[in-house]
Amino acid sequence: MAIKLALAGNPNCGKTTMFNDLTGANQYVGNWPGVTVEKKEGKLRGHKDVVVTDLPGIYSLSPYTLEEVVTRDYIMNEHPSVIMNLVDGSNIERNLYLTTQLTEMGIPVVIALNMMDVVRKNGDRIDTQKLAAALGCEVVETSAVKGEGSKQAADRAVQIAQEGRRTLPKHTFAPVVEEALERIQNLTAELVPAEKARWYAVKLFERDGRVLDQLKLSAETAGKIEEAIAACEKAMDDDSESIITNERYQYVARVVRNCVHKNRTGMTSSDKIDRIVTNRILALPIFAVVMFAIYGIAMGGYSFSIGTMGTDWANDVLFGELVPGAVDAFLGTLGVSGWLYGLIQDGIVAGVGAVLGFVPQMLVLFLLLAILEDVGYMARVAFIMDRIFRKFGLSGKSFIPMLVATGCGVPGIMASRTIEQDRDRKITIMTTGFIPCGAKMPIIGLFAGAVFGNSPWVATSAFFIGIAAVIISGVMLKKFRVFAGEPAPFVMELPAYHAPSPGNVLRATWERGWSFIKRAGTIILLSSIILWFLQGYGVAEGVFQAVEDNNDSLLAVIGNGIAWIFAPLGWVGDMAWKAAVATITGLIAKEEVVNTFGVLYQYAGGADLLEDSHDIWAAIGADFGVMSAYSFMVFNLLCAPCFAAMGAIRREMNNARWTMGAIGYMCLFAYVTSMIVFQLGGLITGEASFGPGTAVAAVLLAGIFYLLFRRGYQGEDIIRMSAVETAEVKA
Amino acid sequence: MGNLIVGAILAACIFFAVRYLYRQAKKGQCAGCSGCKGGHDCHCGR
């Protein structure tokens, strides 16, 4: 019979690393049925009949979060043969709380005492034999990240499962609590399995809603249990849930005192760094400097901007000379027709090359972000942003999906599942798309190079405009009744800082870079062909034919049909239809914007442009002014995301109206912001003149200020008003 | 003849691109998604 081995433990204790180590490539990833929490299963290497299930990371088995409910339902209903409880040895006190709950569930438990490399490095010592005796289960030292001990722990767990050995909890609570628990156990002896009696007794003592629903106690039994609980609460002068929590922590503290010997007291290196990095005053400026440095190295115009150097080479040499030259020679040798030559050189090479030219910048950017994440700094960013977000009615928990969205908006939107409150989750889904994802970076890179002289301020400002958009949206939306309410509390474990692992960093960089290249080779390739056709053919002199000037093309007809919508944003003149078309194609994938410009401006310039692709940039720079370029960039950064992200919004909202509302809101916000940027900013640069557009932009800006500073929905007012009304009536 | 050769290569590229996108869509993953191999949490699959 198959053995089911369940991995349980706190978040960040190394479960995923150990799971990957134990199962290798033999994994299946999906969702737990009926919920949106990820489920991972795999076959244990070397054991064909052992299935390992990676349970969600949880701090306790309370019934409050989806992850907690999923884990306890799995253990209670799926009856795993053995639980391998990963305990972070460097944070043992917090981790053992869950262990005390797991040992009550009547299933064999083996503790994998993980991160022992960190424990030894700190000079601390854990007496694993004493620990095992105190907890009532075997303890195996492991270091999942170094691949040490995982196999031994798993083998031990399998052996215990095969022997059918149960784990009996060794922890006891205060005598008055034990008395109440015993009474509850006696009252429910017939209703629950004997091996789980202790678990059920504790849950009933805590008045656990899910257990009460499950057992459907008679009124008499429920009454007697309530009497026992009430008596204990009176004796201990606390509520039942807090009593159990305190008792567990006191027990864990005793165990840790006896079994763990710390080498040093006081602040760790991570604590010392955090004093500066998460300092109330310095945190945000440090974050701004870090992001500026990253964008400067990846996309700036400085001597150390290695990303830009790579992109310049890719654009000028690789896709400017080498590839077009080789394709020209190949096609010339084969003697292909002019239209086919045009399709390949002016359509595919120009379009795909325009996007692939940004690969060096993307790789450098992804590398630097991966280093920040691996070092542990990104976790601090979520903590820093919580402090700021909370001032505006949002929670730092909403920032985590946005951090994920810097790679791709789709997993960023899906990461909003971790937010328990529906209203905050909806706001997060609606605003996660404001953060520039990897696909939007080529748009920033293109305009930074073509119009703004490779200034790193362009990319940095785009990132912080995204954050500002999130905050402004959050403040405005929170004033409406449907979104009003206090932000959720945000509890987060900050992992210790550590040197970035080259393997992790390079793997993360390569995955994201390869993903970018795959998109270029598929979506961008197909779109280039369609775009080349649409902008190379049109009706001229009443006949459908190839056109010399793409202003006469089918694409121009379509573009001109919608370009008027964007006129208030400063997209006027010959570039208006091109900008409009590029924005629409950006809905397929945001890199399409660059691809579209690559095809349109390549063709417009003729074959000479092949010699120096920077002429494409110069052509774009000539068509766009500073403010119209910035307005275009802002619009495409903030407006509706790509179709894939829209699909993710649809799945997470699970409601067509909310989905349309979210996308509509993003488009409206983008339009208003871009209009304000051009109409008011253009007055300074001279691109816009004072007129109706200025007045409308000023009114819109005033409207935003009103929505930001108005009082908004106050739920308590209704209660206060009722109290006043009642008092007046009584008087 | 040249048109035929280049056309065939192009048609093959288009075929494989469309096939890849279709298979990704069937799996509920975006184009370019690396699946869940990297040991990171997977969020793209349905």
Side-chain angles (χ1 to χ4, degrees), chain A residues 523-538:
Chain A
I523 296 179
I524 307 297
L525 169 74
L526 296 173
S527 311
S528 298
I529 296 169
I530 297 169
L531 278 171
W532 171 86
F533 173 76
L534 287 175
Q535 59 90 58
Y537 287 80

Side-chain angles (χ1 to χ4, degrees), chain A residues 1-32:
Chain A
M1 197 169 100
I3 290 176
K4 291 194 254 185
L5 193 163
L7 289 182
N10 285 187
N12 298 317
C13 70
K15 280 195 294 64
T16 300
T17 306
M18 183 165 291
F19 176 78
N20 291 333
D21 199 21
L22 294 177
T23 58
N26 301 320
Q27 297 175 14
Y28 165 77
V29 182
N31 281 335
W32 290 92

